[in-house]
């Protein structure tokens, strides 16, 4: 079977007829996560629909306890933990996924692709992530024109264990970034157009668990994208609106074996357990007020 070229693929018809993610070269799972403690976490404006009416409602003590329990769950799952120092005035810095995409390029070099944040108030979060990456042996590689928005691991998601990236776009990321990302890393990107402002990052509606299995809230992705997802994954766990709005698809899988998920996603958790995964439930209630949960409160590194 042939490997895909490092291009953006947006239609099933453009994929080779024998395409399967399992024919892409294998790749190590991420070994750890970058986190940022919620010292200055707050809701001060409305960047996504979940934040409406939430200004001034954050309980920082509760947020700290939830975040520590989540960090503990990541450690139990076997992930190495790195913490960035929080910056005053950066109220969304706990959402580490958004400020960069961490990768291994085709020559095996650890590569960090910086984000270009949609909201000016989040732009100061990028430098500390890049500083950590550079000091940890990552080369820094920009993808695409400086004017094109890109929100890192919130929209660009690795296919677990394979050299293949899923690229969501439409709200926070410009699709014109993805051909450049594919070229910079030597990895094909499959584009997924997001259709509903509630699901404004790909990590709110699409969560690969292992190389054959994905959690999906289908109404959030345009039809041509759904064709690609259903073509690529043998097992699609469809998540209904109730659980998707509670961020069931913002779960995080480690090593294709352990899933950390918000406790509101009871049905999804039960389904994952019946499929043989270890599931650790956590409470991210304070962070849901800002439109984020488990997946986006970390950036996975190699
Ligand atoms: N309040 C943050 C924002 O709107 C939440 C980001 C959540 N990140 C994610 N990848 N889903 O930017």
């Amino acid at each position: 079977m042939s490997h895909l070229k490092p291009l953006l693929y947006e239609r099933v018809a453009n994929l080779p007829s024998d395409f399967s993610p399992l024919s892409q070269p294998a790749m190590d799972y991420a070994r750890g996560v970058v986190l940022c403690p919620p010292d200055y976490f707050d809701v001060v404006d409305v960047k996504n629909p979940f934040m409406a009416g939430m200004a001034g409602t954050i309980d920082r003590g509760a947020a700290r306890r939830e975040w520590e329990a989540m960090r503990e769950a990541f450690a139990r799952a076997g992930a190495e933990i790195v913490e960035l120092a929080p910056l005053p005035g950066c109220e969304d810095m706990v959402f580490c996924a958004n400020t960069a995409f961490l990768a291994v390029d085709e020559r095996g070099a650890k590569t960090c692709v910086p984000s270009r944040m949609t909201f000016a108030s989040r732009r100061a979060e990028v430098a500390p992530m890049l500083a950590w990456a550079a000091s940890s042996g990552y080369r820094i590689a920009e993808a695409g024109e400086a004017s094109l928005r890109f929100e890192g691991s919130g929209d660009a998601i690795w296919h677990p264990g394979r050299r293949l990236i899923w690229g969501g776009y439409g709200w926070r990321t410009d699709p014109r970034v993805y051909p450049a990302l594919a070229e910079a890393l030597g990895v094909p990107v499959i584009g997924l157009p997001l259709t509903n402002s509630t699901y404004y990052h790909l990590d709110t509606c699409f969560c690969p668990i292992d190389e054959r299995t994905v959690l999906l809230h289908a109404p959030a992705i345009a039809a041509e994208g759904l064709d690609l997802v259903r073509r690529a994954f043998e097992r699609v766990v469809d998540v209904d609106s109730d659980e998707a709005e509670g961020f069931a698809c913002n779960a995080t899988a480690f090593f294709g074996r352990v899933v950390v998920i918000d406790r509101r996603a009871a049905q999804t958790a039960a389904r994952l357990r019946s499929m043989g995964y270890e599931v650790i439930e956590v409470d991210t209630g304070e962070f849901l007020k800002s439109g984020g949960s488990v997946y986006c409160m970390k950036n996975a590194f190699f």
Side-chain angles (χ1 to χ4, degrees):
M1 281 195 262
S2 49
H3 300 163
L4 294 183
K5 296 197 174 71
L7 300 170
L8 171 62
Y9 293 86
E10 293 190 277
R11 293 190 188 281
V12 169
N14 295 339
L15 292 169
S17 58
D18 61 353
F19 166 70
S20 158
L22 307 185
S23 56
Q24 287 299 108
M27 174 174 161
D28 285 343
Y29 287 111
R31 69 188 163 89
V33 287
V34 182
L35 308 181
C36 178
D39 299 31
Y40 305 104
F41 172 60
D42 208 350
V43 173
V44 295
D45 58 3
V46 180
K47 302 184 188 80
N48 64 61
F50 298 91
M51 300 174 88
M54 293 299 175
T57 69
I58 299 299
D59 176 340
R60 281 242 180 103
R64 162 62 69 168
R65 289 190 293 280
E66 290 176 1
W67 183 84
E68 284 178 358
M70 185 191 71
R71 181 182 60 185
E72 176 60 34
F74 290 164
R76 241 175 80 197
E80 238 175 85
I81 311 276
V82 167
E83 288 183 33
L84 301 179
L87 291 179
C90 287
E91 74 278 359
D92 276 322
M93 197 172 169
V94 70
F95 301 113
C96 283
N98 301 142
T99 49
F101 181 66
L102 300 173
V104 177
D105 76 5
E106 64 197 323
R107 294 181 310 281
K110 293 198 281 183
T111 304
C112 169
V113 181
S115 294
R116 291 181 291 262
M117 306 301 290
T118 300
F119 293 96
S121 62
R122 294 201 64 185
R123 291 183 190 147
E125 298 174 35
V126 177
M129 179 63 82
L130 300 191
W132 168 81
S135 70
S136 306
Y138 281 76
R139 73 178 180 104
I140 308 292
E142 293 280 346
E145 304 279 309
S147 62
L148 299 179
R149 290 169 180 176
F150 174 55
E151 291 206 354
S153 308
D155 275 324
I157 297 181
W158 282 104
H159 193 96
R162 296 287 164 180
R163 295 196 61 73
L164 179 66
I165 295 166
W166 294 89
Y169 61 84
W171 303 101
R172 299 291 189 88
T173 293
D174 189 307
R176 290 172 290 173
V177 166
Y178 287 128
L181 185 73
E183 196 186 335
L185 299 175
V187 179
V189 177
I190 301 187
L192 296 178
L194 303 175
T195 54
N196 179 333
S197 65
T198 300
Y199 302 98
Y200 61 95
H201 276 137
L202 182 59
D203 70 10
T204 64
C205 55
F206 170 90
C207 181
I209 302 294
D210 63 21
E211 59 186 5
R212 296 166 195 268
T213 313
V214 67
L215 304 180
L216 177 72
H217 182 57
I221 298 178
E224 62 266 32
L226 295 176
D227 291 344
L228 290 158
V229 174
R230 297 197 192 275
R231 170 80 188 274
F233 288 90
E234 278 168 32
R235 301 201 289 188
V236 176
V237 177
D238 284 293
V239 175
D240 68 19
S241 300
D242 278 356
E243 293 211 347
E245 279 178 30
F247 278 71
C249 297
N250 202 251
T252 274
F254 290 97
F255 313 107
R257 190 174 47 77
V258 188
V259 182
V260 182
I261 192 166
D262 187 88
R263 64 172 178 75
R264 290 159 186 79
Q267 281 180 35
T268 305
R271 289 175 72 189
L272 288 167
R273 285 196 179 101
S274 74
M275 294 166 85
Y277 301 104
E278 183 187 340
V279 178
I280 307 177
E281 292 174 58
V282 294
D283 185 356
T284 61
E286 290 306 303
F287 303 98
L288 294 176
K289 297 174 181 174
S290 187
S293 184
V294 180
Y295 191 91
C296 47
M297 284 198 271
K298 60 102 186 62
N299 211 329
F301 66 84
F302 296 92

